[in-house]
Structures are given as structure tokens and as C-alpha cells.
Coordinates of all heavy atoms in Angstrom, one line a residue:
L1 N -0.7 -1.0 -10.8 CA -1.0 -1.2 -12.2 C 0.2 -0.7 -13.0 O 0.7 -1.4 -13.8 CB -2.2 -0.6 -12.6 CG -3.5 -1.5 -12.5 CD1 -4.7 -0.6 -12.8 CD2 -3.5 -2.6 -13.3
Y2 N 0.8 0.4 -12.6 CA 2.0 0.9 -13.3 C 3.1 0.0 -13.1 O 3.9 -0.4 -14.0 CB 2.4 2.3 -12.7 CG 3.6 2.8 -13.3 CD1 3.6 3.6 -14.4 CD2 4.9 2.5 -12.7 CE1 4.7 4.0 -15.1 CE2 6.0 2.9 -13.3 CZ 6.0 3.7 -14.4 OH 7.2 4.1 -15.1
L3 N 3.4 -0.6 -11.7 CA 4.4 -1.4 -11.5 C 4.2 -2.8 -12.4 O 5.2 -3.5 -12.9 CB 4.5 -1.7 -10.1 CG 5.0 -0.5 -9.2 CD1 5.1 -0.9 -7.8 CD2 6.4 -0.1 -9.7
D4 N 3.1 -3.2 -12.3 CA 2.7 -4.4 -13.1 C 3.0 -4.4 -14.5 O 3.4 -5.3 -15.1 CB 1.1 -4.7 -12.8 CG 0.9 -6.1 -13.1 OD1 1.5 -7.0 -12.6 OD2 -0.1 -6.4 -13.8
R5 N 2.7 -3.1 -15.2 CA 2.8 -3.1 -16.6 C 4.3 -2.6 -17.1 O 4.7 -3.0 -18.1 CB 1.8 -2.2 -17.1 CG 0.4 -2.6 -16.9 CD -0.5 -1.4 -17.2 NE -2.0 -1.9 -17.1 CZ -3.0 -1.1 -17.0 NH1 -2.8 0.2 -17.1 NH2 -4.3 -1.6 -16.9
Y6 N 4.9 -1.7 -16.3 CA 6.1 -1.0 -16.8 C 7.3 -1.3 -15.9 O 8.3 -0.7 -16.4 CB 5.8 0.6 -16.8 CG 4.5 0.9 -17.5 CD1 3.4 1.5 -17.1 CD2 4.5 0.6 -19.0 CE1 2.3 1.7 -17.8 CE2 3.3 1.0 -19.8 CZ 2.3 1.5 -19.1 OH 1.2 1.7 -19.8
S7 N 7.2 -1.9 -14.9 CA 8.3 -2.2 -14.0 C 8.8 -3.7 -14.3 O 7.9 -4.6 -14.4 CB 8.2 -2.0 -12.5 OG 9.1 -2.5 -11.9
D8 N 10.1 -4.0 -14.1 CA 10.5 -5.2 -14.3 C 10.6 -5.9 -12.9 O 11.1 -7.1 -12.7 CB 12.0 -5.4 -14.7 CG 12.0 -5.0 -16.3 OD1 11.0 -5.4 -16.9 OD2 13.0 -4.5 -16.8
T9 N 10.0 -5.4 -11.9 CA 9.8 -6.0 -10.6 C 9.1 -7.3 -10.6 O 8.3 -7.6 -11.5 CB 9.2 -5.1 -9.6 OG1 9.1 -5.7 -8.2 CG2 7.8 -4.9 -9.8
D10 N 9.5 -8.2 -9.8 CA 8.7 -9.5 -9.8 C 7.6 -9.6 -8.8 O 6.7 -10.3 -9.1 CB 9.8 -10.8 -9.3 CG 11.1 -10.8 -10.2 OD1 10.8 -11.2 -11.5 OD2 12.1 -10.3 -9.8
I11 N 7.7 -8.8 -7.9 CA 6.7 -8.8 -6.8 C 6.3 -7.3 -6.4 O 7.2 -6.4 -6.5 CB 7.3 -9.4 -5.5 CG1 7.6 -10.9 -5.8 CG2 6.4 -9.4 -4.3 CD1 8.5 -11.7 -4.7
I12 N 5.2 -7.1 -6.1 CA 4.7 -5.8 -5.8 C 4.3 -5.9 -4.2 O 3.4 -6.6 -3.8 CB 3.4 -5.3 -6.5 CG1 3.6 -5.3 -8.0 CG2 2.8 -4.0 -5.9 CD1 2.4 -5.0 -8.8
D13 N 5.0 -5.0 -3.5 CA 4.9 -5.1 -2.0 C 4.2 -3.8 -1.6 O 4.6 -2.7 -2.0 CB 6.3 -5.1 -1.3 CG 6.2 -5.4 0.3 OD1 5.4 -6.5 0.5 OD2 6.8 -4.8 0.9
I14 N 3.2 -4.0 -0.7 CA 2.5 -2.8 0.0 C 3.0 -2.6 1.3 O 3.0 -3.4 2.2 CB 0.9 -3.0 -0.1 CG1 0.5 -3.3 -1.5 CG2 0.3 -1.8 0.5 CD1 -1.0 -3.9 -1.5
N15 N 3.4 -1.3 1.5 CA 3.9 -0.9 2.8 C 2.8 -0.5 3.9 O 2.1 0.5 3.5 CB 5.0 0.2 2.7 CG 5.5 0.7 4.1 OD1 4.8 1.1 4.8 ND2 6.8 0.3 4.3
M16 N 2.8 -1.2 4.8 CA 1.7 -0.9 6.0 C 2.4 -0.9 7.4 O 1.9 -1.1 8.3 CB 0.6 -1.8 6.0 CG -0.3 -1.9 4.7 SD -1.8 -2.9 4.8 CE -2.4 -2.5 3.2
G17 N 3.9 -0.8 7.2 CA 4.6 -0.7 8.4 C 5.4 0.5 8.8 O 5.9 0.6 9.9
C18 N 5.6 1.5 7.8 CA 6.5 2.5 8.0 C 5.9 3.5 9.1 O 4.8 3.9 9.1 CB 6.6 3.4 6.7 SG 7.8 4.8 7.0
P19 N 6.9 3.7 10.1 CA 6.3 4.5 11.3 C 6.7 6.1 11.2 O 6.2 6.8 12.1 CB 7.1 4.0 12.5 CG 8.4 3.6 11.9 CD 8.1 3.2 10.4
V20 N 7.2 6.5 10.1 CA 7.8 7.8 9.9 C 6.6 8.8 10.0 O 5.6 8.7 9.2 CB 8.5 8.0 8.6 CG1 8.8 9.5 8.3 CG2 9.7 7.2 8.7
P21 N 6.6 9.9 10.8 CA 5.5 10.8 10.9 C 5.0 11.4 9.6 O 3.7 11.4 9.6 CB 6.1 11.9 11.8 CG 7.1 11.2 12.7 CD 7.7 10.2 11.7
K22 N 5.7 11.7 8.6 CA 5.3 12.4 7.4 C 4.5 11.3 6.6 O 3.6 11.7 5.8 CB 6.3 13.0 6.7 CG 7.4 12.0 6.1 CD 8.4 12.8 5.1 CE 9.3 11.9 4.4 NZ 10.3 12.6 3.7
V23 N 4.6 10.0 6.8 CA 4.1 9.0 6.1 C 2.7 8.6 6.8 O 1.6 8.6 6.1 CB 4.9 7.7 5.9 CG1 4.0 6.5 5.4 CG2 6.1 7.9 5.1
V24 N 2.7 8.5 8.1 CA 1.5 8.0 8.8 C 0.6 9.2 8.9 O -0.6 9.2 9.1 CB 1.9 7.5 10.3 CG1 2.7 6.3 10.1 CG2 2.7 8.5 11.1
K25 N 1.1 10.5 8.8 CA 0.2 11.6 8.9 C -0.7 11.6 7.9 O -2.0 12.1 8.0 CB 1.1 12.9 8.9 CG 0.4 14.3 9.2 CD 1.3 15.5 9.0 CE 0.5 16.8 9.4 NZ 1.3 18.0 9.3
G26 N -0.4 11.2 6.7 CA -1.2 11.1 5.5 C -2.0 9.8 5.5 O -2.8 9.4 4.5
G27 N -2.0 9.0 6.5 CA -2.8 7.7 6.7 C -2.2 6.6 6.1 O -2.9 5.6 5.9
A28 N -1.1 6.7 5.6 CA -0.3 5.6 4.9 C 0.7 4.9 5.9 O 0.7 5.2 7.2 CB 0.5 6.1 3.7
G29 N 1.3 3.9 5.4 CA 2.4 3.1 6.2 C 1.5 2.4 7.4 O 0.5 1.9 7.3
S30 N 2.1 2.6 8.6 CA 1.5 1.8 9.7 C 0.2 2.4 10.3 O -0.5 1.8 11.0 CB 2.5 1.7 10.9 OG 3.1 3.0 11.4
A31 N -0.1 3.6 9.7 CA -1.4 4.2 10.1 C -2.5 3.3 9.5 O -3.6 3.2 10.2 CB -1.6 5.6 9.5
L32 N -2.3 2.6 8.5 CA -3.3 1.7 8.0 C -3.6 0.6 8.8 O -4.8 0.0 8.8 CB -2.8 1.1 6.6 CG -2.9 2.0 5.4 CD1 -2.2 1.5 4.2 CD2 -4.3 2.3 5.0
M33 N -2.8 0.3 9.8 CA -3.1 -0.8 10.8 C -4.2 -0.5 11.7 O -4.9 -1.4 12.3 CB -1.9 -1.1 11.8 CG -0.6 -1.6 11.0 SD -0.7 -3.3 10.3 CE -1.1 -4.3 11.9
K34 N -4.6 0.8 11.7 CA -5.9 1.2 12.4 C -7.2 1.0 11.6 O -8.2 1.1 12.2 CB -5.8 2.7 12.7 CG -4.7 3.0 13.8 CD -4.6 4.4 14.2 CE -4.3 5.4 13.2 NZ -4.1 6.8 13.8
E35 N -7.1 0.6 10.3 CA -8.2 0.4 9.5 C -8.3 -1.0 8.8 O -8.0 -1.0 7.5 CB -8.2 1.6 8.4 CG -8.3 3.0 9.0 CD -8.4 4.0 8.0 OE1 -9.5 4.2 7.6 OE2 -7.3 4.6 7.6
P36 N -8.5 -2.0 9.5 CA -8.5 -3.3 8.9 C -9.3 -3.5 7.6 O -9.1 -4.1 6.6 CB -9.0 -4.2 10.1 CG -8.5 -3.5 11.3 CD -8.8 -2.0 10.9
D37 N -10.7 -2.8 7.7 CA -11.5 -2.9 6.6 C -10.9 -2.3 5.3 O -11.1 -2.7 4.2 CB -12.9 -2.2 6.8 CG -13.7 -2.9 7.9 OD1 -13.3 -4.2 8.1 OD2 -14.5 -2.4 8.6
K38 N -10.2 -1.1 5.6 CA -9.6 -0.3 4.5 C -8.4 -1.3 3.9 O -8.2 -1.4 2.6 CB -9.1 0.9 4.9 CG -8.4 1.7 3.7 CD -8.2 3.1 4.2 CE -7.6 4.1 3.1 NZ -7.4 5.4 3.5
I39 N -7.8 -2.0 4.7 CA -6.7 -2.9 4.3 C -7.2 -4.0 3.4 O -6.7 -4.3 2.3 CB -6.1 -3.5 5.5 CG1 -5.1 -2.4 6.3 CG2 -5.0 -4.7 5.2 CD1 -4.6 -3.0 7.6
Y40 N -8.3 -4.5 3.8 CA -8.9 -5.7 2.9 C -9.3 -5.1 1.5 O -9.0 -5.8 0.5 CB -10.2 -6.2 3.6 CG -10.8 -7.3 2.7 CD1 -10.2 -8.6 2.7 CD2 -12.0 -7.1 1.9 CE1 -10.8 -9.5 1.8 CE2 -12.5 -7.9 1.0 CZ -11.8 -9.2 1.0 OH -12.3 -10.2 0.2
E41 N -9.9 -3.8 1.5 CA -10.3 -3.4 0.3 C -9.2 -3.1 -0.6 O -9.2 -3.3 -1.7 CB -11.2 -2.0 0.6 CG -11.8 -1.5 -0.6 CD -12.6 -0.3 -0.5 OE1 -12.8 0.1 0.8 OE2 -13.2 0.3 -1.4
M42 N -8.2 -2.5 0.0 CA -7.0 -2.0 -0.8 C -6.2 -3.2 -1.4 O -5.9 -3.3 -2.6 CB -6.0 -1.3 0.2 CG -4.8 -0.8 -0.6 SD -3.6 0.1 0.4 CE -4.5 1.7 0.9
V43 N -5.9 -4.2 -0.6 CA -5.2 -5.4 -1.0 C -6.0 -6.2 -2.0 O -5.5 -6.6 -3.1 CB -4.8 -6.3 0.1 CG1 -4.1 -7.5 -0.3 CG2 -3.8 -5.6 1.1
S44 N -7.3 -6.4 -1.8 CA -8.2 -7.3 -2.7 C -8.3 -6.6 -4.0 O -8.3 -7.3 -5.0 CB -9.5 -7.5 -2.0 OG -10.2 -6.4 -1.8
K45 N -8.5 -5.3 -4.0 CA -8.6 -4.6 -5.2 C -7.4 -4.6 -6.1 O -7.4 -4.7 -7.4 CB -9.1 -3.2 -5.0 CG -10.7 -3.2 -4.7 CD -11.2 -1.8 -4.5 CE -12.8 -1.9 -4.4 NZ -13.3 -0.5 -4.3

């Protein structure tokens, strides 16, 4: 929502591919590939 309202970006991209340990350790990046239901909820919302 912040990017939608305050950034001049044209597209909002969600990262579900980063393999870096400090990112996936927190459940982000490619760690989300293990949770398809969560992916649907996050993207749809």
C-alpha cells in the first residue's frame, strides 16, 4: 500500500525467490515456496 500510494513505481513485485540465508531464515524470499496456501493469501490480499 505504501508503494501504491507514495512511490512512482509502475509495478509492485513480490520476491519469493531470494535464496539468501538471512532472508529465508525469516520465512521470506524462496522460503515462501514451501507454503503455497500462504502465497495465495498474501498475493490475493
Side-chain angles (χ1 to χ4, degrees):
L1 277 169
Y2 176 88
L3 293 178
D4 199 50
R5 293 168 180 166
Y6 304 115
S7 169
D8 287 331
T9 187
D10 302 290
I11 297 165
I12 298 169
D13 190 53
I14 303 172
N15 182 295
M16 297 186 182
C18 180
V20 175
K22 68 178 182 180
V23 172
V24 298
K25 187 178 179 181
S30 54
L32 285 165
M33 295 296 293
K34 296 189 286 186
E35 300 185 79
D37 291 342
K38 186 173 183 179
I39 288 175
Y40 179 79
E41 185 180 1
M42 180 182 289
V43 176
S44 61
K45 286 186 174 179

